[in-house]
């Protein structure tokens, strides 16, 4: 239920959120993943160091984060859940 597009090549995938405020959605996803113990972004780079347990835990955390994102997008409450600022794009944050 989250408008998004997954692209990239395996094992380097990324999610582009197609929400009204994609940078806020990305920041909230990062926040939710941090709360679950993952330093994550909208990028995923799988590597040989990842064991199946790591992947399973990550997927479970993503599922939970996506549930929260889906709910807040439906009720328009995502901004209220943010503890920080929304993400910036590219080098814009440096100017």
């Amino acid at each position: 239920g989250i408008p998004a597009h997954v692209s990239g090549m395996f094992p380097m995938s990324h999610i582009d959120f197609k929400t009204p405020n994609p940078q806020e959605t990305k920041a909230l996803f990062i926040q939710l993943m941090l709360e679950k113990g993952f330093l994550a972004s909208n990028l995923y780079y799988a590597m040989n160091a990842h064991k199946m347990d790591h992947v399973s835990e990550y997927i479970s955390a993503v599922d939970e984060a996506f549930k929260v994102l889906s709910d807040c997008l439906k009720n328009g409450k995502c901004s209220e859940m943010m503890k920080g600022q929304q993400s910036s794009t590219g080098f814009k944050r440096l100017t």
Side-chain angles (χ1 to χ4, degrees):
I2 301 169
H5 176 68
V6 178
S7 59
M9 60 182 185
F10 184 79
M12 300 183 301
S13 304
H14 63 274
I15 304 166
D16 291 316
F17 293 107
K18 304 295 185 187
T19 59
N21 189 342
Q23 296 309 111
E24 179 182 83
T25 306
K26 175 184 172 185
L28 185 53
F29 174 71
I30 293 168
Q31 174 185 311
L32 294 167
M33 291 298 285
L34 280 171
E35 291 171 359
K36 296 180 183 323
F38 288 91
L39 180 56
S41 184
N42 62 324
L43 313 167
Y44 180 75
Y45 297 150
M47 60 183 75
N48 287 333
H50 292 127
K51 306 296 181 214
M52 283 309 298
D53 288 347
H54 300 135
V55 175
S56 295
E57 291 172 18
Y58 177 83
I59 290 171
S60 178
V62 169
D63 284 345
E64 292 174 27
F66 279 2
K67 168 84 170 86
V68 173
L69 284 175
S70 179
D71 290 345
C72 81
L73 287 166
K74 286 177 188 167
N75 65 29
K77 304 280 186 182
C78 292
S79 295
E80 296 174 19
M81 297 182 70
M82 295 285 299
K83 294 180 181 174
Q85 298 177 352
Q86 71 180 28
S87 299
S88 58
T89 57
F91 293 102
K92 186 175 182 179
R93 70 184 181 278
L94 301 174
T95 58

